[in-house]
Every structure is written in structure tokens, then in C-alpha cells.
């Protein structure tokens, strides 16, 4: 909150780089308002990641624009983008089944969930005080489901001997970032411990850094 307040005050005073950065954020946020989220929830986990990351980054621009301007159109836009993913995917892992022949690479599934999950949690952490209880329930249930699937993907890599003993790479660290972001949003100490420093997780964050 303090960082946002400082950034907003300096942008209003046209202090650089705060002012030009805010102008970029506002431009992206205004563009996102008139663009519908893709919400590609078909069989391709890779397609999901590529579309979802773009949408949820746009949602973050709108969340920041709301905090800068307090214009509810930006808040509504950010919520709309989150709900476009949360509602249709809640309670299903149709394209994330690790035994399904229809998926496009079992090794990639965890990363494909975790990357947009990290962005989604970022958006939600910015706007959750301003979101209604019913909407919170849906979004948090979806984040929980996505985090559980990411943990599943993380364990899958370990069980598969890291696909050729790739002990530290972008897949494993992406899993961890998604899980950590979800743990923050859900205030789940157990989930956070699993990702950061847990004896039974051979690829936790401390191990990745090592």
C-alpha cells in the first residue's frame, strides 16, 4: 500500500519514471477495457498459458489503473477478466489430466498452469479488498484448484526424475512461483512451506536456489 501511494503521488507530480510508467499503464488498461478476454479453456494447456498470460497481465494493468484513479470501470474490467477464467475452469481439469492423450505434453502442464496463476494472484492481491464476497469465493476456489494442480505437476516432475535429471530449470521454478503466489492469496502457511522449504519436497525453493 505504501509503495502504491508513493508511486501514485509521484506520477501525479509528473516525477519520472513514475509519470511515464503510469501513462503506459493507463494506455494498456484502457485498451484492455474494450478487449474481451480470450479464456481459451480447450484441450491445449500451452494455448491456455499463452492466452491466459496476456489476459491476466492486461487485468493487472486494469487493477493498477483502478488503484491510481479509483474509477470502477477498471475494477470491473479486472474482475471480468479473472472471472472469465475462474468460472468455466472451476471444478474441472479437463485439459490438465496427466494421463490424458489429448494434452500437448505432460511435462509442460504444470508450467502452463503456474505462469498465468502467478499473474492471476497478483491481480487478485491488488483488488481483493474491493471485491464482493460471492466473487471472492469463486476466485479463491479457482486459485486453490489451480494451485493443487500445480503441486500435482511439480510432483510429476520429481517422480519422472526431472525429465533427464533437469534438477533446476524454468518448469520447476515456475511451479514454485505459482504455488507461492497462491499461498499468499489464500493465506495458506502449509502450502507456502511446501514450496519454500519442505523436507518432502526435493525441489522446493531453497533447493532450487542451492
Amino acid at each position: 500500500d505504501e509503495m502504491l501511494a508513493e508511486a501514485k503521488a509521484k506520477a501525479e507530480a509528473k516525477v519520472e519514471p513514475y509519470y511515464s510508467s503510469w501513462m503506459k499503464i493507463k494506455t494498456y488498461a484502457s485498451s484492455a477495457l474494450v478487449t474481451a478476454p480470450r479464456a481459451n479453456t480447450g484441450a491445449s494447456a500451452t494455448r491456455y498459458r499463452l492466452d491466459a498470460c496476456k489476459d491476466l497481465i492486461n487485468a493487472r494493468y486494469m487493477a493498477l489503473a483502478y488503484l491510481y484513479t479509483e474509477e470502477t470501470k477498471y475494477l470491473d474490467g479486472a474482475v471480468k477478466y479473472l472471472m472469465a477464467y475462474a468460472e468455466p475452469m472451476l471444478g474441472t481439469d479437463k485439459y490438465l489430466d496427466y494421463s490424458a492423450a489429448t494434452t500437448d505434453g505432460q511435462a509442460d502442464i504444470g508450467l502452463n498452469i503456474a505462469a498465468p496463476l502467478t499473474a492471476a494472484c497478483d491481480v487478485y492481491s491488488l483488488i481483493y479488498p474491493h471485491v464482493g464476497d460471492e466473487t471472492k469465493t469463486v476466485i479463491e476456489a479457482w486459485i486453490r484448484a489451480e494451485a493443487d494442480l500445480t503441486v500435482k505437476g511439480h510432483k510429476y516432475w520429481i517422480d519422472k526424475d526431472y525429465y533427464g535429471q533437469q534438477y533446476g530449470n524454468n518448469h520447476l521454478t515456475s511451479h514454485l512461483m505459482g504455488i507461492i503466489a497462491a499461498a499468499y492469496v489464500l493465506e495458506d502457511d502449509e502450502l507456502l512451506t511446501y514450496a519454500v522449504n519442505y523436507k518432502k519436497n526435493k525441489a522446493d525453493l531453497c533447493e532450487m536456489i542451492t
Side-chain angles (χ1 to χ4, degrees):
D1 292 340
E2 291 176 2
M3 291 170 68
L4 284 166
E6 179 184 3
K8 180 180 177 180
K10 289 185 176 180
E12 289 173 347
K14 297 188 176 182
V15 175
E16 292 294 353
Y18 297 89
Y19 177 69
S20 57
S21 295
W22 160 235
M23 289 293 99
K24 289 180 181 179
I25 290 169
K26 186 177 181 181
T27 297
Y28 289 133
S30 298
S31 177
L33 281 177
V34 296
T35 304
R38 297 168 184 82
N40 189 328
T41 56
S44 170
T46 300
R47 184 75 259 162
Y48 169 79
R49 171 176 57 84
L50 295 173
D51 289 344
C53 281
K54 290 178 182 177
D55 281 341
L56 293 166
I57 289 170
N58 280 333
R60 181 167 56 201
Y61 287 130
M62 288 187 284
L64 288 167
Y66 169 68
L67 294 174
Y68 269 67
T69 66
E70 298 183 8
E71 294 182 25
T72 55
K73 63 181 181 180
Y74 293 117
L75 174 63
D76 293 343
V79 171
K80 175 184 174 181
Y81 272 58
L82 282 176
M83 292 294 279
Y85 285 88
E87 288 186 306
M89 286 310 302
L90 185 58
T92 177
D93 61 354
K94 58 186 178 182
Y95 66 100
L96 303 169
D97 182 350
Y98 281 83
S99 64
T102 55
T103 59
D104 47 10
Q106 292 176 334
D108 296 337
I109 295 172
L111 179 147
N112 284 323
I113 308 165
L117 175 61
T118 305
C121 291
D122 195 4
V123 176
Y124 186 61
S125 70
L126 290 169
I127 64 173
Y128 83 94
H130 313 283
V131 175
D133 288 342
E134 289 186 13
T135 302
K136 282 182 181 178
T137 298
V138 173
I139 293 173
E140 290 181 17
W142 171 66
I143 288 172
R144 170 69 65 185
E146 297 287 272
D148 289 345
L149 288 166
T150 304
V151 170
K152 183 179 177 181
H154 194 65
K155 290 178 177 178
Y156 195 91
W157 262 74
I158 296 169
D159 292 343
K160 292 293 181 180
D161 196 24
Y162 308 90
Y163 287 94
Q165 300 179 343
Q166 300 177 68
Y167 295 124
N169 70 7
N170 59 310
H171 287 266
L172 295 165
T173 50
S174 292
H175 302 161
L176 295 172
M177 288 309 299
I179 297 166
I180 290 167
Y184 173 77
V185 163
L186 300 170
E187 298 182 282
D188 187 332
D189 290 341
E190 185 176 345
L191 187 61
L192 182 64
T193 298
Y194 170 81
V196 176
N197 191 11
Y198 185 57
K199 288 183 179 179
K200 293 184 180 181
N201 182 0
K202 297 177 183 178
D204 62 25
L205 183 62
C206 288
E207 187 64 29
M208 288 297 97
I209 292 170
T210 300

